[in-house]
Each structure stands twice: as structure tokens, then as C-alpha cells.
Amino acid sequence: MRLNPIAIALLLATAPNVDASVQSSTQVAVIAEQSKVAVRPEDLPEPVKSTLAGSYSEWKVTSAYLVTRDDNSQYYEINIKRTEETSTINLDKYGKKID
């Protein structure tokens, strides 16, 4: 979608705080990314490794992250691969799948 330059000028003239709201959105995205820490697959908790060895035994872990939500709850985001197929699963510290 292409906006008319005159419409853009009018929008900017009537909404001088547009730039400030864009900066706030960017800042929130950066904070969200900081709550994701890389974890080596061998350092995952034993219940998580057990789930991977059972239900996902045909898959190889390509990367894993410990994600902390705003409410301080945590889960493991695990990227897995089988032949050319890739997937991401989220498991809590007990190895239970979560959304």
C-alpha cells in the first residue's frame, strides 16, 4: 500500500507525537528480546531431556532458549529438526508442552 505524500504530511502535522509512540514500541520489543537466553541442549533440565528423548526421539535439537515472561514464569523454547523439517516446541521445566 502506497500513501500519498500529501496525506503523510497532513498526518504528521496533526499528530506530532507519532514519532514518540514508534520509539515506545521499539523499546518494548527490545525488552522482550532480552528475556530470552540461549541454553546448550546438554544443559537442559532432565525432565525436558526425557520429553525430547521420548516424544521427539526422531528430532535433533538445533537450539534452545530459556524464556522469561513478564510475570517471571519461564519455559524452554526448543528448535528441533528432522531431515528437512523444522519445528519449535515450548516445554516447562517439568518437560510438559506449553503454548
Side-chain angles (χ1 to χ4, degrees):
M1 179 171 129
R2 185 175 170 138
L3 293 176
N4 182 328
I6 294 171
I8 293 172
L10 287 173
L11 178 66
L12 293 175
T14 59
N17 293 330
V18 168
D19 188 45
S21 66
V22 170
Q23 289 175 354
S24 292
S25 296
T26 304
Q27 186 177 15
V28 170
V30 171
I31 291 170
E33 287 179 23
Q34 291 175 349
S35 65
K36 189 173 176 178
V37 179
V39 177
R40 295 185 311 185
E42 60 269 19
D43 292 337
L44 290 168
E46 287 303 320
V48 173
K49 288 193 239 181
S50 293
T51 297
L52 294 170
S55 302
Y56 302 94
S57 62
E58 297 179 11
W59 296 80
K60 179 181 191 278
V61 175
T62 57
S63 61
Y65 301 92
L66 176 60
V67 179
T68 304
R69 294 181 176 155
D70 291 339
D71 65 359
N72 288 327
S73 64
Q74 295 181 319
Y75 66 92
Y76 293 91
E77 178 182 296
I78 303 166
N79 297 307
I80 52 178
K81 182 175 183 176
R82 175 176 60 185
T83 57
E84 295 302 315
E85 184 180 1
T86 61
S87 186
T88 300
I89 56 170
N90 297 325
L91 302 174
D92 66 13
K93 65 182 178 180
Y94 304 108
K96 184 177 176 185
K97 190 172 181 179
I98 59 171
D99 293 324

